[in-house]
Amino acid sequence: MNLKLILVKNSGQTRAFSLPSIVTTIGRKHCCDLRVPLMAVSRKHCQIYHDNGTLKIRDLGSRNGTIINGNKIEDAQVQAGDIIEIGTLKFVMQIDDFPDEESIQIEQEGKRLAKKTKEPAVASSGGEVDEDLDNFFSSQNS
């Protein structure tokens, strides 16, 4: 099974991160498999893991929680296309190349266009977040 988290940036661009093992820990600490250097992300924020053929995600007592498809979770099943919010970041779960990055970009662009008349297209968390992530993740896998 090929697993990736697709980061959907405020600009609508995407970036893929392969999940390196059966249990992937996400957080700020250097020992995490996927390290995210943002204060809104806890030191050990959450884990994505396999449980008897099912892909699951577990919050590790993070301060801001882990959100799947708009719902705060403690432990939940994850499926292809699910939106995972970790701190201020939004990821889409990609399993065996579904959904593909192009459709994620198109869907994100459609959401931004739909919001244009009601509210700002980009939630203001600061452009520095995308820049910091680009700088940090440039040394990570893609």
Side-chain angles (χ1 to χ4, degrees):
M1 188 180 303
N2 181 18
L3 303 175
K4 291 183 182 178
L5 284 178
I6 310 297
L7 172 65
V8 181
K9 298 179 186 180
N10 289 337
S11 65
Q13 295 177 313
T14 61
R15 181 152 181 158
F17 300 96
S18 295
L19 300 185
S21 61
I22 293 175
V23 176
T24 300
T25 303
I26 301 168
R28 281 193 341 255
K29 279 186 111 173
H30 290 291
C31 64
C32 291
D33 301 303
L34 183 58
R35 187 171 164 267
V36 181
L38 299 174
M39 290 306 294
V41 176
S42 294
R43 283 179 235 135
K44 283 193 172 182
H45 198 98
C46 62
Q47 284 182 330
I48 298 175
Y49 63 99
H50 295 271
D51 183 27
N52 294 322
T54 302
L55 188 62
K56 293 186 132 187
I57 187 166
R58 171 187 307 132
D59 185 78
L60 298 175
S62 66
R63 183 176 212 164
N64 294 320
T66 301
I67 299 170
I68 307 294
N69 299 324
N71 299 307
K72 195 170 187 176
I73 60 97
E74 289 183 25
D75 201 348
Q77 184 174 346
V78 182
Q79 298 178 4
D82 283 350
I83 298 170
I84 301 170
E85 294 179 55
I86 300 171
T88 57
L89 303 178
K90 287 188 181 185
F91 295 92
V92 175
M93 175 55 71
Q94 185 183 66
I95 302 174
D96 294 330
D97 298 321
F98 180 80
D100 62 34
E101 285 185 65
E102 185 175 308
S103 62
I104 292 169
Q105 283 180 321
I106 291 169
E107 182 177 326
Q108 183 66 19
E109 184 65 24
K111 286 180 184 177
R112 287 199 343 243
L113 291 174
K115 289 182 179 181
K116 197 171 187 177
T117 57
K118 295 183 181 179
E119 57 190 75
V122 176
S124 180
S125 61
E128 70 276 5
V129 172
D130 279 348
E131 194 172 298
D132 288 347
L133 290 174
D134 280 344
N135 291 337
F136 180 79
F137 288 134
S138 65
S139 64
Q140 301 283 318
N141 60 350
S142 49

